[in-house]
Amino acid sequence: MQVSPIYDEPLISGELWAELVEDHEMNIITAKLHREGDFEKYSFLTGYTFNSTSKGDFNILVSPLATAKECLLRLNILKKMSDLKFRRFNVELEGENILKASCPKVNHQVNDKLYFLVKALAEFEDILQMKIGVPSRESDISKLIEEINGKEISPEQLKQLMGNHRKSKNTIIRMNLYENGNPIRLLTFQDPGWVKYDSFNLAINPSKVKVWKDVVRNQDRLQFKVYTDKIHTEFFEQFQEFNKQFFITRLFREFNKQSQGQIKTQIDVEFKSPIEGSWDLVQEIIIKVERIPEDLIDLDKLLIEKQYVEAIPLMEKYKERFEVDLAYAYALNGEYKKSISLCNEILKEDFGSVAHMTKGLAYVGLNEFDLAFEAYQLGVHSCIHKWFPVAKENLEMFIQEKNIVTNEKYNSILAILSKDRKPLGRKKLCYCKSGHKFKNCHGRLAILN
């Protein structure tokens, strides 16, 4: 498609949300583009690739949640552009005209069988006054073409067809690149099937296992954050030319890589609850890639250098993300009661956290060695995160730096920290030899008080 940019360099590339407005009287088509949106708000995505300032490729992608009438609109526009029926094509970005083309032509041949199917489904939408849409899988479309095209079927027969149709599971992935809080690039991918949550190999808090199983079984909404030492643009662009079919596999391979240096990019991932369409069950995954703020980079540098006390002000600013390190920093800074209080908050949400060890350290700072022993003992039986041999090393360094006078209980603490062990199963007998199950004894949240 030949285009005439209003500016020296095109302001857009890639995919953007779009509203398609057709002026039948003037034979003008306008694509009103938006950097932010979703498949429920907008039915179209437009794809652009610019070869020069005067030539580029343009495509209209349709949402899997679009109505049959919206799918028909897309096909009609593509047909007209192929036949040079439009006098002008305009592109607006956030209300500003940025591109125009005279007599635009696209090299896209609309399949006649598909066209007549979509047209028939659009007519049924008017008759039944309900959203019907179009299947997203080619195999489903081919089957529907055989059942509908060239045949006179009643609305009741169509309803029966829809009722008998086994809905396909599909995943739509949207990856957004952000700069200074604003979206600047968008990639979309479609994968058959759904991502299996239990394939993530996550370390689940024992007290949350039942909740996690419910989330996995129902494919519920799920959110998490990932940090990487790659630059945000570099991380985003590696997926540009990648095979869309294996996008999720590649993405999680990137997530599982250990950062080798200072973190530079934050990736927010949201698996939305699946939406039931007429023909498909669609789950949308939204991925937000952005450079982390400068103060977070400073904080990461302080933590790498183990300057925990100096990092306290920044960790308090980002408490939700760094509360475990913050509790440890409070203990190092002599704010022992503050540390213990924060540890209890953490453990109420994550009983398998290493905050048990920090709580023991804070009690040592208060010279409460009996309470410290209890905290450490509960920790070695509860922690699902790696604590050996760091917990013992931190304690010995702490004792030396604070010049704390020790007693026999201190030696008992060193003994239990000198051997790595797996966390105790919730249904196993408690380590205190009470005869009760761990979950009903020292594994209870009430024990934190």
Side-chain angles (χ1 to χ4, degrees), residues 137 167-171 191-194 279-283:
R137 289 195 179 185
K167 296 184 178 182
S168 302
K169 293 178 179 178
N170 284 294
T171 300
D191 270 357
W194 285 347
W279 310 99
D280 305 285
L281 295 167
V282 180
Q283 183 173 38

Side-chain angles (χ1 to χ4, degrees), residues 134-149:
V134 178
S136 57
R137 289 195 179 185
E138 288 187 15
S139 57
D140 292 336
I141 290 174
S142 298
K143 185 178 179 182
L144 209 54
I145 285 173
E146 291 178 10
E147 293 172 331
I148 291 180
N149 282 14

Side-chain angles (χ1 to χ4, degrees), residues 143-356:
K143 185 178 179 182
L144 209 54
I145 285 173
E146 291 178 10
E147 293 172 331
I148 291 180
N149 282 14
K151 300 174 184 177
E152 290 192 13
I153 67 168
S154 66
E156 288 71 26
Q157 287 175 310
L158 179 66
K159 280 186 175 181
Q160 189 175 358
L161 273 176
M162 294 170 66
N164 294 336
H165 174 76
R166 184 180 178 183
K167 296 184 178 182
S168 302
K169 293 178 179 178
N170 284 294
T171 300
I172 304 296
I173 305 114
R174 288 195 283 121
M175 177 179 272
N176 297 273
L177 177 64
Y178 276 69
E179 189 72 69
N180 299 321
N182 298 310
I184 58 171
R185 300 280 293 283
L186 171 66
L187 291 175
T188 59
F189 302 87
Q190 185 166 340
D191 270 357
W194 285 347
V195 178
K196 294 181 179 179
Y197 291 175
D198 51 8
S199 68
F200 298 162
N201 296 319
L202 301 176
I204 305 300
N205 182 342
S207 65
K208 304 289 184 182
V209 168
K210 186 177 183 303
V211 176
W212 173 245
K213 286 182 178 179
D214 288 340
V215 170
V216 171
R217 183 175 60 254
N218 300 321
Q219 199 77 9
D220 285 340
R221 181 172 175 266
L222 179 66
Q223 284 183 291
F224 57 88
K225 294 180 188 293
V226 182
Y227 297 92
T228 176
D229 54 5
K230 286 188 176 180
I231 298 170
H232 61 309
T233 50
E234 177 189 342
F235 181 88
F236 182 87
E237 286 169 0
Q238 69 180 320
F239 294 99
Q240 291 252 91
E241 305 301 326
F242 193 71
N243 187 331
K244 294 187 177 187
Q245 185 179 354
F246 302 105
F247 175 83
I248 286 292
T249 304
R250 170 68 179 271
L251 181 69
F252 278 87
R253 190 179 299 145
E254 284 295 317
F255 287 169
N256 289 327
K257 286 182 180 177
Q258 191 72 28
S259 292
Q260 299 300 314
Q262 193 171 336
I263 59 171
K264 300 182 181 73
T265 299
Q266 173 179 309
I267 302 116
D268 293 278
V269 182
E270 178 185 3
F271 287 75
K272 300 188 81 171
S273 297
I275 299 171
E276 185 172 355
S278 301
W279 310 99
D280 305 285
L281 295 167
V282 180
Q283 183 173 38
E284 194 175 2
I285 304 174
I286 302 168
I287 303 163
K288 181 180 178 182
V289 180
E290 64 180 330
R291 178 170 49 193
I292 65 172
E294 289 298 324
D295 55 358
L296 264 179
I297 294 175
D298 294 338
L299 173 54
D300 184 55
K301 185 178 179 182
L302 288 171
L303 293 179
I304 288 173
E305 296 172 354
K306 297 186 177 181
Q307 298 184 45
Y308 293 96
V309 173
E310 293 80 359
I312 286 176
L314 285 173
M315 285 196 285
E316 288 178 332
K317 181 178 178 180
Y318 297 102
K319 180 182 173 183
E320 186 179 341
R321 303 183 199 180
F322 297 96
E323 57 185 6
V324 174
D325 287 319
L326 179 58
Y328 179 62
Y330 283 151
L332 295 183
N333 200 37
E335 300 176 81
Y336 304 124
K337 291 184 178 179
K338 206 171 182 179
S339 175
I340 293 167
S341 176
L342 181 53
C343 285
N344 285 336
E345 286 180 32
I346 296 166
L347 294 170
K348 284 174 183 176
E349 292 298 321
D350 181 7
F351 200 74
S353 169
V354 293
H356 287 290

Side-chain angles (χ1 to χ4, degrees), residues 13-55:
S13 180
E15 296 166 349
L16 290 162
W17 302 103
E19 300 171 79
L20 301 176
V21 181
E22 189 175 357
D23 186 332
H24 297 279
E25 185 177 339
M26 301 297 294
N27 284 331
I28 296 173
I29 181 71
T30 301
K32 297 185 176 183
L33 308 184
H34 305 274
R35 294 191 189 277
E36 291 192 274
D38 57 51
F39 282 118
E40 293 187 85
K41 186 174 182 181
Y42 299 112
S43 297
F44 302 104
L45 274 169
T46 50
Y48 298 87
T49 304
F50 289 98
N51 306 314
S52 68
T53 56
S54 62
K55 184 178 287 188

